[in-house]
């Protein structure tokens, strides 16, 4: 709209809460609409209309009271508020429709033109009151509310030195020499509490003052032309964002506390009334690739970003959403991408994206197409848009599948039909389905293809060991088994049941569970067998058989590989079984054939070695060789079937040997060689319970170690300090001794 409009509708809204610059910031309901029609060509004013809205009390009223939306419509020459026409409606939906009908009738009665546009004092009335409340109540807003003129911006075109944020109707009236009838006590520039509710008669006077300002702008000497109104986006546009794109820091916010099932359309609905940039809603994922309840949103301008910040702790359903400032760099980390494959996949606009999780590693395009095309009837069929081109498998840098995929559907109906297949079986695994976004596709692909799984590599304690190569030599007796893909609830009993007849071939205490960086089962396990022949037979017999867990109903097929004790020791100590160079993406086929532990970074990322904390001699005394730790367990008194965990040498990989750990009050210890010249060590034990018996329990816990009982100091807050002359306590598990 570039030409001069025929009519301007000066509009003012009031809620049951704050007014002025805080209008709409408290989520209060709309209670009053006041407007006046201005004939731009003839410079004439219409009558002042007032529409009162009864707050939504649908939870407290009966259904029969909601049948009549409009209660009364009366024309009064004089009333308490000063409006010439006063109407009442029961709901916002009825009020907006009644406003549209009355406005259309009044324009038609004048018959001097048809183009009409709203005019408000600032952005808040349309963007922060009308649209947010309509979105929260799923109300369809009339088309006239999607474009409007901001009277302050129109005024600033003739008075460029004016501060837009400080402008209000009183300042504009004074600049144009218009007498203001509004009481000065309601002047927003005065020291007034903006959270106070504005009386109805003051709202009417504000509309009359704004209409006078419009006439003054239209008259000489200004002869202002009202063209190019403000626009409110009707629909959120999805799209892609390149990492090379420049994003202004003043246009991005971070929303926190989102429901985990929310999509980018839900975020756009929460910020309805504000214009989000194309593809500007990016959901954040956690380290496990799941949504963490946060999102980064990019707006078209700083003005819209500032209005979004006013919606801090507004509600999405039953949850309140926190809104904070963010940077363009934060947004690009989440939504930016460089993959041509992803760009081609997301180039089809107006497509609904569904994420598949838990796919078999051998899944193909044909199996995915069959998964969505099968059903009992036509209603259960949801064809994939573009066939094979509408499926994107997520892979690691070396080409191995991750079990995730994204699928495109042509319409919302097909996508909803596809989501009803949530947890149906494909192959031997149930598939999880979620509605996804373009930004999530970029983020998942970036996570698996362009960045290490762990952003910062922790300094490993292995640096304290003597500087020897931990890579096992080629060859060796492969008398151990590696189980990969265990159910996360699997226990030792489940593993023994899975092995069946091969249980008798397990060495004593030969089951070793592997944990991830959060201390939870990683799905990997190592088993020491009595011979290489039985290990090979077990791997051939049990490979890709299904293991069930007694603790949960889930079951998974398990991969079984033979490996050597040195390879097992290397992985349990936090190493990788890849024999390739650190700067290549292709794993050697001549290696062990085993993949690196799930929590380790891809082999293409190397980190500088941490400096040694202890001299080589001291480290050799404190830490026995790997073979001694794993293959020659220390003797225990009768009655103890398990040993405690070995030292956790990597922050991101914990190894239990074996599982579960035994009681630390009755275990043996590695003797410290006499060559150690250390004067002793101080062991700190934080996290003790407050109901313990003090020093007596601590002495029982460290039986068998050389320490000075008089040096055991218990703090009231829980940490304990023990003087350890031989420093042997330092080698014990973190589960019960912390340094």
């Amino acid at each position: 709209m570039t030409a001069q409009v025929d009519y301007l509708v000066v509009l003012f809204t009031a809620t049951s809460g704050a007014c002025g610059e805080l209008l709409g910031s408290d989520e209060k309901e709309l209670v009053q609409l006041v407007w006046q029609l201005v004939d731009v060509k003839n410079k004439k004013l219409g009558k002042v209309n007032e529409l009162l809205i009864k707050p939504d009390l649908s939870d407290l009223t009966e259904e029969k009271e909601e049948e009549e939306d409009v209660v009364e419509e009366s024309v009064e020459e004089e009333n308490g508020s000063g409006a010439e026409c006063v109407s009442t409606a029961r709901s916002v939906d009825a009020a907006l429709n009644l406003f549209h009908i009355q406005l259309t009738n009044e324009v038609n009665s004048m018959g001097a033109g048809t183009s009409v546009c709203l005019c408000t004092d600032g952005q808040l009335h349309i963007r922060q009151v009308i649209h947010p409340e309509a979105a929260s109540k799923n109300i369809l807003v009339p088309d006239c509310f999607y474009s409007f003129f901001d009277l302050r911006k129109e005024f600033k075109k003739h008075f460029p030195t004016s501060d837009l944020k400080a402008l209000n109707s009183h300042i504009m009236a004074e600049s144009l020499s218009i007498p203001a009838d509004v009481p000065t006590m309601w002047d927003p520039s005065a020291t007034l509490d903006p959270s106070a509710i504005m009386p109805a008669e003051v709202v009417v006077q504000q509309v009359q003052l704004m209409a006078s300002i419009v006439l003054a702008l239209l008259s000489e000497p200004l002869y202002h032309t009202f063209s190019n109104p403000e626009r409110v986006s009707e629909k959120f546009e999805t799209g892609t964002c390149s990492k090379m794109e420049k994003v202004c820091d003043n246009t991005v916010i971070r929303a926190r506390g989102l429901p985990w099932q929310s999509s980018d359309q839900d975020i756009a609905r929460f910020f309805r009334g504000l214009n989000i940039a194309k593809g500007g809603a990016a959901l954040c994922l956690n380290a496990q690739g799941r949504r963490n309840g946060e999102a980064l949103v990019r707006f078209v301008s700083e003005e819209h970003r500032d209005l979004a910040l006013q919606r801090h702790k507004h509600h999405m359903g039953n949850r309140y959403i926190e809104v904070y400032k963010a940077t363009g760099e934060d947004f690009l980390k989440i939504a930016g991408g460089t993959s041509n494959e992803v760009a081609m996949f997301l180039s089809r606009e107006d497509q609904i994206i569904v994420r598949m999780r838990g796919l078999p590693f051998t899944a193909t395009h044909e199996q995915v197409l069959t998964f969505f095309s099968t059903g009992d009837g036509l209603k259960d069929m949801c064809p994939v848009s573009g066939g094979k081109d509408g499926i994107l498998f997520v892979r690691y840098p070396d080409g191995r599948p991750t079990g995730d995929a994204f699928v495109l559907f042509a319409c919302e109906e097909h996508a909803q039909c596809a989501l009803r297949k949530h947890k149906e079986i494909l192959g031997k695994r149930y598939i999880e389905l979620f509605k996804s976004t373009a930004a999530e596709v970029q983020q998942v692909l970036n996570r698996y293809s362009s960045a290490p799984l762990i952003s910062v590599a922790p300094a490993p304690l292995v640096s304290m060991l003597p500087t020897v190569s931990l890579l096992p030599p080629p060859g060796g007796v492969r008398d151990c088994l590696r189980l990969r893909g265990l159910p996360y609830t699997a226990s030792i009993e489940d593993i023994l049941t899975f092995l069946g007849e091969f249980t008798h071939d397990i060495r004593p205490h030969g089951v070793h569970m592997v944990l991830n960086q959060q201390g939870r089962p990683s799905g990997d396990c190592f088993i020491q067998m009595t011979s290489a022949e039985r290990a090979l037979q077990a791997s051939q017999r049990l490979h890709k058989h299904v293991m069930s867990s007694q603790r949960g109903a889930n079951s998974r097929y398990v991969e079984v590989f033979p490996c050597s004790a040195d390879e097992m020791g290397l992985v349990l100590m936090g190493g990788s079984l890849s024999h390739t160079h650190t700067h290549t993406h292709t794993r050697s086929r001549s290696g062990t054939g085993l993949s690196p532990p799930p929590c380790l970074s891809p082999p293409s990322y190397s980190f500088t070695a941490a400096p040694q904390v202890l001299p080589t001699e001291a480290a050799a005394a404190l830490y026995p060789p790997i073979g001694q730790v794993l293959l020659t367990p220390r003797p225990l008194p009768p009655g103890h079937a398990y040993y405690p965990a070995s030292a956790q040498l990597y922050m991101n990989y914990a190894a239990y040997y074996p599982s579960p750990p035994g009681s630390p009050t009755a275990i043996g210890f590695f003797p410290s060689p006499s060559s150690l010249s250390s004067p002793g060590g101080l062991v700190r034990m934080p996290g003790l319970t407050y109901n313990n018996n003090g020093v007596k329990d601590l002495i029982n816990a460290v039986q068998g170690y050389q320490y000075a009982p008089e040096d055991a100091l218990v703090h009231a807050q829980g940490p304990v300090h023990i003087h350890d002359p031989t420093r042997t306590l330092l080698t014990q598990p973190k589960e019960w001794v912390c340094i």
Side-chain angles (χ1 to χ4, degrees):
M1 185 185 297
T2 57
Q4 179 88 298
V5 296
D6 298 325
Y7 298 99
L8 284 178
V9 183
V10 178
L11 177 69
F12 199 92
T13 63
T15 67
S16 59
C19 63
E21 298 304 317
L22 296 182
L23 181 67
S25 63
D26 50 6
E27 284 190 291
K28 296 297 183 180
E29 292 184 328
L30 180 66
V31 296
Q32 187 181 18
L33 271 172
V34 181
W35 73 92
Q36 186 174 15
L37 192 65
V38 179
D39 186 346
V40 176
K41 186 176 297 184
N42 300 319
K43 299 180 180 58
K44 294 181 180 180
L45 299 177
K47 58 185 178 182
V48 178
N49 301 272
E50 182 181 11
L51 181 57
L52 300 177
I53 305 168
K54 183 179 180 180
D56 189 2
L57 302 176
S58 57
D59 295 337
L60 303 177
T61 58
E62 299 180 359
E63 293 182 0
K64 63 180 181 180
E65 295 180 359
E66 299 178 354
E67 295 178 357
E68 298 181 0
D69 289 332
V70 180
V71 177
E72 60 177 337
E73 179 179 347
S74 60
V75 178
E76 303 178 1
E77 293 297 333
E78 294 183 1
N79 50 56
S81 63
E84 301 172 65
C85 179
V86 180
S87 304
T88 306
R90 285 193 179 276
S91 65
V92 175
D93 189 11
L96 296 180
N97 291 330
L98 181 59
F99 166 81
H100 185 62
I101 293 173
Q102 291 185 356
L103 178 61
T104 303
N105 293 337
E106 187 175 359
V107 171
N108 292 336
S109 64
M110 291 189 174
T114 57
S115 59
V116 182
C117 190
L118 303 181
C119 182
T120 60
D121 182 15
Q123 305 273 318
L124 303 180
H125 300 276
I126 300 296
R127 298 191 185 276
Q128 297 288 74
V129 177
I130 300 292
H131 284 282
E133 184 169 350
S136 64
K137 297 179 179 179
N138 293 322
I139 296 174
L140 185 62
V141 178
D143 294 340
C144 60
F145 287 100
Y146 286 95
S147 61
F148 67 97
F149 286 102
D150 185 348
L151 188 57
R152 300 182 183 184
K153 292 184 178 180
E154 301 300 319
F155 175 84
K156 186 175 174 60
K157 293 179 181 178
H158 298 280
F159 299 89
T161 58
S162 303
D163 185 4
L164 193 61
K165 295 183 179 180
L167 275 180
N168 56 63
S169 56
H170 288 267
I171 296 177
M172 290 186 288
E174 291 178 3
S175 301
L176 296 172
S177 301
I178 300 175
D181 297 331
V182 182
T184 55
M185 63 172 293
W186 287 102
D187 184 356
S189 61
T191 57
L192 169 70
D193 181 10
S195 62
I197 301 176
M198 184 178 292
E201 61 273 12
V202 177
V203 175
V204 173
Q205 292 172 1
Q206 285 280 2
V207 170
Q208 294 172 339
L209 180 59
M210 291 168 58
S212 300
I213 295 173
V214 170
L215 289 180
L217 292 175
L218 293 171
S219 305
E220 60 180 4
L222 300 178
Y223 295 110
H224 181 71
T225 300
F226 285 87
S227 59
N228 298 321
E230 298 275 329
R231 301 286 183 180
V232 179
S233 299
E234 299 185 31
K235 182 181 179 181
F236 170 69
E237 297 184 55
T238 60
T240 59
C241 178
S242 172
K243 283 187 177 294
M244 305 304 295
E245 186 175 346
K246 186 176 181 181
V247 179
C248 179
D249 292 342
N250 295 328
T251 61
V252 183
I253 62 96
R254 180 184 296 273
R256 182 180 300 168
L258 299 168
W260 67 268
Q261 70 274 24
S262 59
S263 64
D264 54 353
Q265 297 294 339
D266 297 319
I267 297 172
R269 188 179 299 111
F270 177 79
F271 290 108
R272 181 69 60 80
L274 307 178
N275 295 346
I276 300 176
K278 183 177 180 180
L283 296 165
C284 302
L285 306 180
N286 60 15
Q288 287 74 39
R290 302 176 185 268
R291 297 173 184 175
N292 61 4
E294 294 189 6
L296 290 167
V297 186
R298 176 189 178 190
F299 294 93
V300 296
S301 66
E302 181 180 359
E303 179 183 28
H304 289 243
R305 192 283 307 266
D306 293 339
L307 293 176
L309 292 174
Q310 293 185 13
R311 300 194 188 183
H312 179 60
K313 292 195 174 181
H314 282 204
H315 288 78
M316 179 185 291
N318 296 325
R319 299 175 65 98
Y320 71 85
I321 308 301
E322 302 175 11
V323 182
Y324 304 99
K325 292 182 180 180
T327 64
E329 183 181 0
D330 295 336
F331 181 81
L332 289 177
K333 287 180 180 179
I334 300 300
T338 57
S339 173
N340 293 329
E341 182 183 11
V342 178
M344 291 294 296
F345 178 77
L346 299 175
S347 61
R348 306 178 183 89
E349 297 184 356
D350 299 328
Q351 302 282 338
I352 310 300
I353 306 174
V354 171
R355 180 181 180 183
M356 305 180 70
R357 191 166 64 196
L359 287 169
F361 294 144
T362 58
T364 62
H365 291 83
E366 289 76 12
Q367 290 177 321
V368 174
L369 292 174
T370 305
F371 177 79
F372 287 111
S373 60
T374 56
D376 297 335
L378 294 176
K379 293 184 178 180
D380 295 331
M381 297 180 62
C382 36
V384 177
S385 177
K388 292 183 179 181
D389 294 335
I391 303 173
L392 177 65
F393 287 101
V394 183
R395 301 182 183 276
Y396 288 108
D398 57 5
R400 292 183 297 113
T402 64
D404 282 28
F406 293 94
V407 184
L408 292 178
F409 293 93
C411 61
E412 185 70 29
E413 182 181 358
H414 288 171
Q416 292 299 328
C417 178
L419 292 174
R420 288 196 290 269
K421 295 180 178 290
H422 181 61
K423 290 197 174 181
E424 289 191 8
I425 303 299
L426 192 158
K428 295 184 179 181
R429 305 189 64 172
Y430 70 86
I431 308 301
E432 297 177 287
L433 300 174
F434 308 94
K435 198 171 181 180
S436 187
T437 66
E440 184 173 0
V441 176
Q442 294 278 23
Q443 192 176 173
V444 172
L445 266 295
N446 291 343
R447 181 181 301 275
Y448 285 110
S449 303
S450 304
L453 300 180
I454 302 174
S455 57
V456 179
L461 295 180
V462 173
S463 60
M464 295 188 300
L465 295 174
T467 55
V468 296
S469 174
L470 294 178
L471 193 65
V477 180
R478 303 171 70 85
D479 58 349
C480 299
L481 289 176
R482 183 185 186 188
L483 275 60
R484 186 171 67 185
L486 301 173
Y488 294 120
T489 57
S491 62
I492 299 294
E493 290 75 14
D494 297 326
I495 296 175
L496 297 179
T497 302
F498 173 78
L499 292 175
E501 61 179 281
F502 297 100
T503 303
H504 304 289
D505 300 303
I506 302 176
R507 290 189 184 185
H509 320 297
V511 181
H512 310 280
M513 299 286 287
V514 182
L515 304 184
N516 61 15
Q517 66 186 74
Q518 286 81 27
R520 299 174 181 175
S522 66
D524 278 27
C525 173
F526 285 93
I527 300 175
Q528 292 176 268
M529 306 291 286
T530 55
S531 66
E533 291 76 12
R534 295 297 290 173
L536 180 61
Q537 293 177 11
S539 65
Q540 293 174 344
R541 186 89 54 87
L542 301 175
H543 184 58
K544 290 193 175 182
H545 280 209
V546 177
M547 176 187 293
S548 301
S549 173
Q550 299 177 359
R551 302 179 186 176
N554 61 322
S555 60
R556 302 181 62 178
Y557 76 85
V558 178
E559 298 176 284
V560 183
F561 306 100
C563 66
S564 66
D566 290 332
E567 292 168 346
M568 176 184 66
L570 174 62
V571 174
L572 291 181
M573 288 302 177
S576 171
L577 290 178
S578 176
H579 288 271
T580 60
H581 193 267
T582 57
H583 293 284
T584 180
H585 289 274
T586 306
R587 286 173 43 233
S588 173
R589 298 297 181 183
S590 62
T592 62
L594 301 182
S595 62
C599 289
L600 296 181
S601 303
S604 59
Y605 300 94
S606 59
F607 303 93
T608 56
Q612 289 191 358
V613 180
L614 295 178
T616 302
E617 295 77 8
L622 285 178
Y623 295 96
I626 294 176
Q628 182 180 351
V629 175
L630 295 176
L631 302 181
T632 56
R634 48 187 181 268
L636 288 184
H640 294 274
Y642 299 103
Y643 296 97
S646 66
Q648 182 176 343
L649 300 183
Y650 263 82
M651 296 291 290
N652 63 331
Y653 213 70
Y656 276 103
Y657 175 71
S659 301
S663 171
T665 60
I667 62 174
F669 64 94
F670 291 113
S672 177
S674 57
S675 60
L676 180 65
S677 59
S678 172
L682 188 66
V683 177
R684 186 173 183 267
M685 303 171 66
L688 294 177
T689 58
Y690 290 95
N691 55 356
N692 62 67
N693 295 327
V695 178
K696 182 178 179 181
D697 286 345
L698 300 177
I699 293 176
N700 292 334
V702 294
Q703 278 184 340
Y705 297 93
Q706 301 180 25
Y707 70 97
E710 64 275 7
D711 290 338
L713 177 61
V714 181
H715 288 259
Q717 292 81 3
V720 176
H721 299 272
I722 301 177
H723 181 64
D724 179 21
T726 64
R727 302 180 64 89
T728 52
L729 278 174
L730 298 178
T731 65
Q732 297 310 309
K734 278 185 65 176
E735 282 69 26
W736 64 281
V737 176
C738 297
I739 301 175

